[in-house]
Amino acid sequence: MKAINLTVNGEAHKVFCPENITLLTLLREYLHLTGAKVGCAAGECGACTVIYNGKPVNSCMVLAMEAEGAVVETIEGEAKDGKVSPLQQAFIDNHALQCGFCTPGMIMSARALLDENPKPSRDDIIHAMEGNLCRCTGYEPIITAIEQAAGGVR
């Protein structure tokens, strides 16, 4: 067991865990933040996307030990004071979710995009979401939701 110090959703944590686990496992099993989903466990589907030091990453591909001193944002940090964020509301308004399995990863990728580029073009949105797979909704409602969150459907 090794200690890892990291900040998750603005809160400092010191976690004792095995050296061979992923950031996804640390979040889900040690911090009980289960929003990031275990999908492919190979970095292909995006269901486990979190924001890691300002960038979206597949948390299944990051060793927990690499997160020493890191700042991580998960879907659990998106809502504030019990209210969904404008981005989450845009997903709801545009029916950009069905089963919801991919939604946390989608929202975190979209959040990272909007934090970096508050007024992305449609092409910017498509490019930013390339690493996130959805098997239910198709991608048009997701793109439209991100456009809405960026200041209006274009």
Side-chain angles (χ1 to χ4, degrees), residues 81-133:
D81 300 321
K83 296 185 190 264
V84 297
S85 71
L87 178 57
Q88 289 171 310
Q89 188 62 54
F91 268 67
I92 294 165
D93 293 347
N94 291 283
H95 309 288
L97 56 127
Q98 283 184 19
C99 81
F101 192 82
C102 71
T103 306
M106 291 278 185
I107 289 175
M108 296 315 294
S109 289
R111 165 61 48 227
L113 169 66
L114 295 174
D115 286 349
E116 184 176 305
N117 179 2
K119 297 291 182 191
S121 68
R122 184 174 181 82
D123 286 342
D124 293 336
I125 294 168
I126 292 169
H127 178 71
M129 303 308 291
E130 283 176 348
N132 295 84
L133 302 178

Side-chain angles (χ1 to χ4, degrees), residues 2 19 33 40 50 65 104-105 108 149 152 154:
K2 183 161 171 118
E19 293 185 39
L33 298 171
C40 66
V50 299
M65 293 296 122
M108 296 315 294
R154 292 187 266 289

Side-chain angles (χ1 to χ4, degrees), residues 24-25 27-28 33-42 45-50 58-60 75-76 99-106:
L24 177 60
T25 299
L27 293 169
R28 291 180 60 81
L33 298 171
T34 58
K37 302 299 182 214
V38 180
C40 66
C45 73
C48 66
T49 302
V50 299
N58 293 319
S59 60
C60 71
I75 191 67
E76 288 87 353
C99 81
F101 192 82
C102 71
T103 306
M106 291 278 185

Side-chain angles (χ1 to χ4, degrees), residues 1 7 17 19 22 31 69 123 142:
M1 298 290 241
T7 302
C17 63
E19 293 185 39
T22 64
L31 296 180
D123 286 342
I142 294 165

